[in-house]
Amino acid sequence: MSRPGSTGRQVLVALYAVFAVAAGARSLVQISTRFGEAPLAYSLSLVAAVVYLVATLALRRTSATARRVAWAALAFEAVGVVVVGTVSLVSPELFPDQTVWSDFGAGYGFVPLVLPFAGLWWLRRHGADDLR
């Protein structure tokens, strides 16, 4: 029998893992081949990839520390996608190339905008007892 919320957690972990790999691979290629074209954008994509990786690992674990790390990573991501999304629309000249969070994640089907809020909702709905 599965634990309450375990399927939701598995879906979140899978999505975060996919985004960690996708954003990480893309940003590393961009940084290594054409960093001078859009250093801010490529650096922010790398930051997003690291946040996705931290969230993946924290959501997989069931300890209280992992839960706190997950809250912090998802909150950071939520703020990041809202701030970068807004700035990329208001001052597009700062972003000559897309980041994962540009235009609120439009290049990734807006999943980067929805994912942290879905994760935060899941963490809030499923208390520490559900993680055991």
Side-chain angles (χ1 to χ4, degrees), residues 2-3 5-16 59 122:
S2 66
R3 296 181 300 255
S6 65
T7 301
R9 183 171 65 170
Q10 291 169 348
V11 169
L12 283 171
V13 168
L15 285 169
Y16 272 103
L59 288 166
W122 186 89

Side-chain angles (χ1 to χ4, degrees), residues 7 9 13 17-18 22-23 25 29 38 48 61-63 70 78-80 86 96 105 108-109 112 120-121 124 130 132:
T7 301
R9 183 171 65 170
V13 168
V18 166
V29 168
R61 313 259 335 172
T62 59
S63 70
V79 170
T86 302
Y108 289 87
L120 289 167
W121 171 83
R124 180 173 171 85
D130 289 344
R132 292 191 186 113

Side-chain angles (χ1 to χ4, degrees), residues 37-116:
E37 293 176 22
L40 178 61
Y42 302 151
S43 297
L44 285 172
S45 284
L46 184 59
V47 167
V50 170
V51 172
Y52 292 142
L53 178 60
V54 168
T56 301
L57 298 174
L59 288 166
R60 281 192 73 223
R61 313 259 335 172
T62 59
S63 70
T65 299
R67 186 173 181 79
R68 285 191 297 275
V69 170
W71 272 103
L74 273 56
F76 181 88
E77 178 193 357
V79 170
V81 74
V82 169
V83 169
V84 172
T86 302
V87 172
S88 67
L89 292 175
V90 173
S91 300
E93 69 279 1
L94 295 176
F95 296 94
D97 201 354
Q98 295 287 306
T99 75
V100 176
W101 294 340
S102 294
D103 302 327
F104 302 102
Y108 289 87
F110 296 100
V111 174
L113 177 62
V114 174
L115 195 55

Side-chain angles (χ1 to χ4, degrees), residues 21-41:
V21 171
R26 179 181 177 186
S27 66
L28 290 174
V29 168
Q30 290 169 323
I31 287 170
S32 65
T33 61
R34 50 186 216 231
F35 183 72
E37 293 176 22
L40 178 61

